[in-house]
Amino acid sequence: MGFQAKRLLMATAMAFTCVASTAAWADPETLKVLGNFTGNKKQVDLVERPFFTGLAKETGISSQVSYSPMDLVNVKAADAMRLLKSGAFDIASVQIGMAARDNPFLEGIDLAGVATNVADQRKVTDAIRGEFDKEVQSRFNVKTLALWPFGPQVLFCKDPIEQAADFKGKKIRTFTTSMATLVQGLGGSPVTLQYAEVYLALQRGVADCGVTAASAGNGGKWPEVTKYQVPLAVSSSMQGHFINLDVWNQFSPEKQQALIKSFKTMEDAMWGLATDGDQDAVRCNTGQADCKDHTKYSMTLNPVTPEELSQLKGIVDRLVLPEWAKNCNAVVPDCSDRWSATVGKAMGYGRIAVAR
């Protein structure tokens, strides 16, 4: 082959490489986004919906963003991660406790009773974030974009809870496995219900109490069918925004960094809302004069007794952690060791005594 022919061949190969490289980083034409439930008005209307409306402009991606709250497209919370893995949606807001039914490792970010306030939940989240993302990438083919809480998950009850013994026999709406274990340890009967199902369940006596954030309960009008709010924070209802990994890999490294930066801003806004929104919701649910951003009701705030707090901690050590570790290790063999090295270390727990 002559010199000129070789130069032509090399130029053609370089041009082909450039075209292939450019094609490899083509933004997806559309991004189908599955949003949170519209009943969570503060999270959806103040943060999530405007965030996705402005995402393309904020990050410089050329994709057309199509946003749909899950209740408006008849998607159940437990199916969100599965639909993301299948490619039915490109980005999804996921209730992590529901997704953990397919992989119990995920529940390690929000085990009932481990973190009972927003500050401790942030410590837990920061500690396990790397291992959490590694797990969802390998098991679900998705990447973590944001992790955030609804806020302290408290009880809305029809009857007063004035001491730990009052939980005995109560039918209590839960939505994670560890939360169900905790309720059983308190003497109650866990009832698994979707958020949208709880109002009628409380109204009809299917449930005596429901667990959710003070703000979410206000938005769902739970104070219409309950009389007492018990500020015993059993978890934080951790949520996440995730993207299908195949879709993620279509973006250039520069666009990926822009997306990560943008989602971090949204995540911080959600953490702020978990603190500020929760406090206002408690004031509004209980009819206080300084209620500002929620509907005002007239619930009674049932103080949590030292006995209840002590009993909660004992149930976590005796039942919640060992049972979760047993179930998780059966699916993810090094599950409890990874939790102990991250969350356990951050929160001062020793090695979990796995249930037999």
Side-chain angles (χ1 to χ4, degrees), residues 51-341:
F51 171 80
F52 283 110
T53 299
L55 181 63
K57 183 178 180 181
E58 175 71 23
T59 59
I61 63 174
S62 61
S63 307
Q64 180 180 348
V65 180
S66 174
Y67 170 82
S68 302
M70 66 177 68
D71 53 318
L72 298 189
V73 288
N74 296 317
V75 171
K76 293 184 177 181
D79 295 329
M81 188 73 91
R82 300 167 190 161
L83 292 171
L84 190 59
K85 180 180 180 180
S86 73
F89 290 91
D90 303 312
I91 296 175
S93 178
V94 175
Q95 189 171 337
I96 292 171
M98 293 289 189
R101 297 175 187 179
D102 293 331
N103 184 338
F105 182 89
L106 275 58
E107 195 177 354
I109 199 171
D110 192 22
L111 288 169
V114 170
T116 56
N117 57 67
V118 174
D120 280 349
Q121 184 58 55
R122 193 141 204 182
K123 286 173 63 177
V124 169
T125 303
D126 290 342
I128 203 172
R129 187 186 297 265
E131 289 296 322
F132 187 96
D133 187 47
K134 185 189 302 182
E135 189 68 20
V136 296
Q137 288 200 35
S138 64
R139 302 274 178 158
F140 295 99
N141 194 45
V142 305
K143 177 174 176 56
T144 308
L145 293 173
L147 295 169
W148 52 274
F150 269 129
Q153 300 296 291
V154 298
L155 291 105
F156 288 71
C157 293
K158 300 169 75 170
D159 299 316
I161 303 292
E162 297 176 344
Q163 55 185 342
D166 291 337
F167 284 109
K168 189 173 182 180
K170 289 287 188 293
K171 301 185 293 291
I172 301 174
R173 178 261 179 163
T174 62
F175 52 88
T176 70
T177 302
S178 65
M179 198 181 293
T181 302
L182 185 68
V183 164
Q184 288 173 328
L186 288 167
S189 300
V191 180
T192 301
L193 294 166
Q194 295 278 328
Y195 170 83
E197 300 170 333
V198 180
Y199 182 98
L200 284 178
L202 289 166
Q203 186 181 54
R204 296 172 179 176
V206 174
D208 301 308
C209 299
V211 177
T212 195
S215 179
N218 185 283
K221 301 181 180 180
W222 291 16
E224 292 182 354
V225 290
T226 56
K227 295 180 179 180
Y228 301 90
Q229 184 170 316
V230 186
L232 182 66
V234 297
S235 76
S236 295
S237 187
M238 285 299 295
Q239 311 288 304
H241 281 85
F242 304 88
I243 185 169
N244 180 282
L245 205 53
D246 296 331
V247 174
W248 174 253
N249 288 331
Q250 293 179 47
F251 289 106
S252 69
E254 293 76 19
K255 296 286 181 65
Q256 289 177 350
Q257 287 305 308
L259 286 164
I260 288 172
K261 181 179 178 181
S262 188
F263 272 89
K264 178 63 166 63
T265 301
M266 183 190 70
E267 179 182 290
D268 289 342
M270 289 294 199
W271 280 95
L273 192 60
T275 301
D276 300 336
D278 177 75
Q279 293 171 354
D280 183 69
V282 172
R283 293 192 293 267
C284 294
N285 289 342
T286 54
Q288 298 179 38
D290 51 352
C291 165
K292 294 180 180 179
D293 298 322
H294 295 78
T295 302
K296 184 181 283 191
Y297 292 100
S298 57
M299 298 186 76
T300 297
L301 193 65
N302 243 164
V304 178
T305 66
E307 178 198 5
E308 288 169 316
L309 290 174
S310 176
Q311 189 169 359
L312 181 75
K313 177 65 176 174
I315 294 169
V316 171
D317 290 334
R318 190 177 71 256
L319 297 176
V320 173
L321 291 179
E323 282 297 321
W324 170 78
K326 176 185 176 181
N327 294 334
C328 193
N329 286 348
V331 179
V332 183
D334 58 351
C335 176
S336 60
D337 288 340
R338 289 162 68 185
W339 189 90
S340 296

Side-chain angles (χ1 to χ4, degrees), residues 343-354:
V343 177
K345 183 177 180 181
M347 299 300 291
Y349 284 89
R351 192 177 180 87
I352 299 173
V354 181

